[in-house]
Amino acid sequence: MKRFLYFVLVLLCFASLTTAGESLLAIKDTVRSTSQDTVPVRRLSLQTLPVPLEPSEAVGEQTYGVVTLSVASIRTQGRYPAEMATQALLGTPVRIIERHDGWLRVQTPDNYTGYTKSGNVTEMNAATFTAWTDAPKIIFLAHHGFAYSRADRKSPPVSDLVAGNMLRLEGKKGAFYRVSYPDGRTAFVLKAEAQPIDEWLKRIDLTAESILATSQSFMGVPYLWGGTSSKAMDCSGLVKTVFFLHGLILQRDASQQCVTGEQIDITNGYGNLRPGDLLFFGKSRDRIRHVGIYMGNDEFIHEATQVKVGSLNPSAPNYDALNASEFVRACRIIGAREWPGISTIKNNPYYQNTWNKQ
């Protein structure tokens, strides 16, 4: 009898464990199979774009700053291991919102906010910032280069430079511009690699041909999460950089860029697209994960591992199946410069210092 009862007890225990195990597996499968699309999503619109912030009173009078490195990393938190959210180029004006243990919380001309080391930015009060913004400047236009310590390419560099860097113009010497940095350093930049900003702005040709030529000049540039320079960039960083080199300041992220400009109807395919339009990819119109620039003939240029050209055409050798299957919206920036969320260097409050000129 004891043996029989023991046998029954063993069977009951086994049955209980089996049932429990099946329950646990059922729970795990439920979690694993839960679609991300069932999570509530914020509808993307102009109202979801970032807005200007006011500096903390603890910041004091130095609520302005200008980036002093060729490329300054801006992170989600004030510590080095934190995710890099974006980058800002030499000469970029910023507002200083807070200070934390050697880190500055800054807001950039696209209203993006993050943390950068205090040494990456020269802090300024209103008077110093006004003097900087009012001064004539040059913009560096080569993808990579140097500012030299003397008017001689063989002299030691003062720093490296990337496309879009801006420096104060102090004079000229032979084949060089004499320039100064926000932190007071002086240097010489080759005239062949830069232009006075006022002259450059007058010569900008905002056409599809120019946008695509600039985009293709970055072919092969490696991918970097948060990158916005000709050294390395992410997908929206490529778009932002290309249009910045045409005098426009776009939103930082693809999920922000997609709500600006003229919205294009793509319900019937690619027929309404024009070269230079922005293409957005994701699970839905409100779940944007990627952006590229349309080139025509079903092709687009984008940053994915490196800057390259993909196709929406299944028969093309460079067919991008994933992005073709998740092409969900498009917008047109060319001709839409006065739309909300888009500004120009000529009218952006950071570059024009509208706070101190009212």
Side-chain angles (χ1 to χ4, degrees):
M1 176 63 79
K2 289 182 178 180
R3 287 184 178 180
F4 175 74
L5 291 174
Y6 178 77
F7 180 71
V8 172
L9 182 60
V10 170
L11 287 176
L12 288 173
C13 290
F14 179 77
S16 298
L17 287 171
T18 302
T19 303
E22 289 175 349
S23 299
L24 288 172
L25 286 172
I27 293 171
K28 186 175 73 168
D29 287 344
T30 300
V31 173
R32 184 175 56 198
S33 63
T34 298
S35 171
Q36 187 181 26
D37 293 334
T38 64
V39 179
V41 182
R42 181 176 63 169
R43 186 176 180 83
L44 298 179
S45 69
L46 289 171
Q47 284 67 45
T48 61
L49 297 180
V51 297
L53 300 178
E54 287 298 321
S56 165
E57 291 184 2
V59 172
E61 293 185 355
Q62 291 187 314
T63 59
Y64 306 93
V66 181
V67 174
T68 195
L69 301 180
S70 64
V71 185
S73 296
I74 298 177
R75 302 185 181 277
T76 56
Q77 300 175 43
R79 57 194 189 92
Y80 281 116
E83 172 190 346
M84 187 167 75
T86 189
Q87 293 177 319
L89 304 181
L90 170 63
T92 300
V94 300
R95 295 298 303 275
I96 299 172
I97 308 302
E98 298 172 4
R99 291 191 184 87
H100 294 286
D101 300 324
W103 291 81
L104 302 176
R105 186 183 179 212
V106 298
Q107 190 163 40
T108 52
D110 52 13
N111 288 332
Y112 216 75
T113 305
Y115 294 83
T116 193
K117 284 296 291 182
S118 57
N120 297 345
V121 172
T122 297
E123 301 178 43
M124 301 178 178
N125 59 25
T128 308
F129 186 70
T130 299
W132 172 268
T133 55
D134 287 352
K137 299 179 191 66
I138 64 162
I139 181 168
F140 189 76
L141 296 173
H143 284 190
H144 309 98
F146 295 95
Y148 299 95
S149 53
R150 299 189 301 275
D152 181 354
R153 296 186 68 171
K154 296 181 180 179
S155 65
V158 174
S159 79
D160 72 315
L161 299 173
V162 300
N165 283 175
M166 296 182 179
L167 292 158
R168 184 169 178 165
L169 178 60
E170 302 289 356
K172 301 176 183 180
K173 185 174 182 179
F176 291 82
Y177 293 116
R178 184 165 57 86
V179 299
S180 63
Y181 287 70
D183 59 8
R185 288 175 294 166
T186 58
F188 294 87
V189 175
L190 280 166
K191 292 179 181 177
E193 297 179 336
Q195 287 183 26
I197 288 180
D198 289 343
E199 295 179 17
W200 168 70
L201 288 171
K202 292 176 183 178
R203 295 173 182 171
I204 287 175
D205 185 23
L206 184 58
T207 62
E209 292 76 15
S210 181
I211 290 293
L212 295 180
T214 303
S215 303
Q216 290 175 288
S217 73
F218 292 116
M219 288 287 285
V221 171
Y223 182 93
L224 175 66
W225 180 271
T228 61
S229 83
S230 50
K231 293 181 179 181
M233 55 188 72
D234 59 22
C235 63
S236 53
L238 168 65
V239 171
K240 186 172 178 62
T241 299
V242 168
F243 279 87
F244 183 77
L245 294 175
H246 288 79
L248 269 64
I249 300 168
L250 301 190
Q251 295 295 306
R252 175 60 186 90
D253 295 337
S255 60
Q256 299 166 342
Q257 294 170 354
C258 70
V259 301
T260 63
E262 178 185 351
Q263 299 299 298
I264 301 170
D265 183 4
I266 60 169
T267 54
N268 294 319
Y270 313 138
N272 292 329
L273 296 175
R274 299 177 189 170
D277 289 345
L278 303 188
L279 311 185
F280 299 94
F281 309 91
K283 295 296 184 182
S284 72
R285 287 177 56 83
D286 295 309
R287 290 186 182 278
I288 303 300
R289 59 162 181 81
H290 191 55
V291 60
I293 302 174
Y294 190 61
M295 302 179 69
N297 298 319
D298 297 340
E299 288 191 320
F300 63 100
I301 185 167
H302 63 139
E303 173 64 273
T305 306
Q306 60 180 293
V307 177
K308 57 187 176 183
V309 176
S311 176
L312 302 170
N313 186 342
S315 62
N318 58 338
Y319 176 55
D320 188 330
L322 173 61
N323 284 318
S325 67
E326 295 190 352
F327 173 42
V328 292
R329 63 193 301 167
C331 76
R332 182 164 298 139
I333 302 299
I334 298 173
R337 284 177 287 177
E338 300 304 319
W339 284 69
I342 303 172
S343 62
T344 68
I345 291 174
K346 288 182 178 180
N347 67 21
N348 183 276
Y350 286 75
Y351 287 94
Q352 299 308 316
N353 187 22
T354 55
W355 302 284
N356 299 306
K357 296 182 179 179
Q358 296 176 350

